[in-house]
Amino acid sequence: MESSAASYRFVARRTRGILVLPQHKQWLTKPGGKAIIGIDCRSEPASATAVPATLVALDSPSPESQVKLALEPGIATITLNRPERRNAMSMAANARLFALWDQIDDTPDVRAVILTSADCGSFCAGMDLAEAARAKAETGKDILDLLDDPFYERMRRVRVPIIAAMTGHFLAAGMVLAANADMRVGLAGTSGAISEGRVGRGSPWAAPMVAMLPLAILMELITTADMMPVERFHQLGFVNYVEPTPDAVRARARELAQRIARNAPLSVNVGKAGLLASVALGAQAGGEESKRLHHAVYSSEDAQEGPRAFIEKRPPRWQGR
């Protein structure tokens, strides 16, 4: 963000940090926390109140262009679209992705999500370190303190399965997004890494990966920060499929999403929740929680529709209830 920029656009969202305008020692929004869109802060009435917000220059790409959403029957495709920055995550992109998970959870027709990126050699190269450095210089705060969802944990609570279609290398935040997905398709010849050790950062988000990779392998990834070939991740079961081209990666992810979307949505969503409960709670407690969650499946209309469609030799008409 250049200090000479004449005007700014606020992106409305909740956050713990307040970025500081170089000429004005606070961010201004109207009372009630509503963001000022496309208005020069210096002309805002003095009665405005300072509250946390996110700022981007007016000439910066919009959050919607940095993280795109496409909807089709049963499937939502989210595309990280910052190829000029190797799809590194900006603050605006983080806020946009955080908001999209709520939108998807509020859209019953979505039964599977594909998370992919613009082709540039990297699925996601991590956070935007240049932006992080500017934020630190202007606010004195670490970039993680300025984000609603610094480790993309909201992604792990999305009701439907998420498939990461990784069309390039995946490291740092790219590895976070891959790990927080439910299934992964990788590009042949690419690599992934938990690379925070190279730049003095940390990886507390990697703790859930003990259920995804052998501990010794995970320990090596964290302590060496070395790149590991996607083929090795595939051998270890972290990656479901490896494809030869970015288009083939997306095609495989789409085929997988279509197979998910044809099934009873309650069975799919509760099945996912039950498995994640077992990871979080352990096999015994997780199994009990899974049985509790499945009560809604067994008592649903879809539980009657499936057998009825089989007997009548027709495709089932799922209601999701």
Side-chain angles (χ1 to χ4, degrees):
M1 181 172 58
E2 297 296 332
S3 61
S4 61
S7 59
Y8 299 87
R9 176 172 60 245
F10 286 91
V11 180
R13 72 181 183 89
R14 300 178 304 277
T15 186
R16 292 184 298 275
I18 299 177
L19 285 181
V20 181
L21 286 172
Q23 306 96 327
H24 313 281
K25 302 305 181 184
Q26 60 186 8
W27 290 48
L28 298 177
T29 69
K30 294 180 179 179
K34 299 297 184 182
I36 303 165
I37 306 297
I39 296 177
D40 188 338
C41 293
R42 290 166 291 186
S43 66
E44 183 65 7
S47 60
T49 57
V51 301
T54 296
L55 183 72
V56 292
L58 278 173
D59 58 356
S60 296
S62 69
E64 292 77 13
S65 68
Q66 294 185 47
V67 181
K68 295 182 175 182
L69 173 66
L71 297 173
E72 59 184 291
I75 301 171
T77 299
I78 297 173
T79 303
L80 309 181
N81 187 44
R82 302 187 77 215
E84 75 286 353
R85 300 291 296 167
R86 296 169 58 213
N87 294 318
M89 295 295 290
S90 67
M91 288 186 286
N94 178 283
R96 165 72 169 162
L97 188 59
F98 183 57
L100 283 179
W101 299 132
D102 283 342
Q103 182 176 340
I104 285 168
D105 274 345
D106 291 338
T107 308
D109 290 343
V110 173
R111 299 183 180 180
V113 176
I114 298 169
L115 177 62
T116 189
S117 60
D119 294 347
C120 64
S122 291
F123 167 60
C124 175
M127 74 171 66
D128 189 325
L129 293 177
E131 183 183 53
R134 289 195 299 271
K136 178 69 172 179
E138 292 172 359
T139 70
K141 293 179 178 291
D142 188 87
I143 185 70
L144 299 182
D145 293 326
L146 302 174
L147 301 174
D148 277 324
D149 193 21
F151 300 128
Y152 306 95
E153 293 169 279
R154 174 64 178 86
M155 183 177 172
R156 295 179 62 82
R157 301 192 302 274
V158 174
R159 62 178 175 82
V160 301
I162 301 172
I163 305 160
M166 305 182 298
T167 56
H169 300 294
F170 49 105
L171 58 156
M175 179 65 86
V176 181
L177 294 172
N180 287 351
D182 301 299
M183 288 157 273
R184 304 157 198 89
V185 183
L187 177 63
T190 63
S191 299
I194 300 174
S195 56
E196 279 75 358
R198 300 183 199 170
V199 291
R201 304 295 292 180
S203 52
W205 52 264
M209 293 180 71
V210 296
M212 307 173 195
L213 287 166
L215 183 59
I217 298 296
L218 189 56
M219 192 71 74
E220 179 182 349
L221 286 168
I222 289 175
T223 59
T224 68
D226 286 343
M227 301 289 282
M228 178 181 288
V230 70
E231 290 80 5
R232 178 66 170 147
F233 280 109
H234 181 238
Q235 291 172 352
L236 292 166
F238 182 73
V239 171
N240 297 68
Y241 302 95
V242 175
E243 301 295 340
T245 67
D247 284 343
V249 168
R250 283 186 283 265
R252 172 68 77 174
R254 180 180 173 79
E255 184 266 340
L256 190 55
Q258 289 172 332
R259 285 161 48 200
I260 292 168
R262 74 188 180 196
N263 293 323
L266 273 179
S267 298
V268 169
N269 298 347
V270 173
K272 166 182 169 171
L275 290 177
L276 293 181
S278 292
V279 171
L281 303 174
Q284 183 171 349
E288 292 301 317
E289 175 64 6
S290 184
K291 286 190 287 186
R292 186 191 69 79
L293 292 171
H294 274 84
H295 288 162
V297 177
Y298 296 130
S299 62
S300 69
E301 293 180 22
D302 284 350
Q304 308 306 313
E305 168 62 12
R308 184 164 52 242
F310 177 80
I311 293 170
E312 296 174 2
K313 296 181 170 55
R314 61 171 174 80
R317 294 184 288 269
W318 306 123
Q319 301 300 312
R321 57 180 190 269

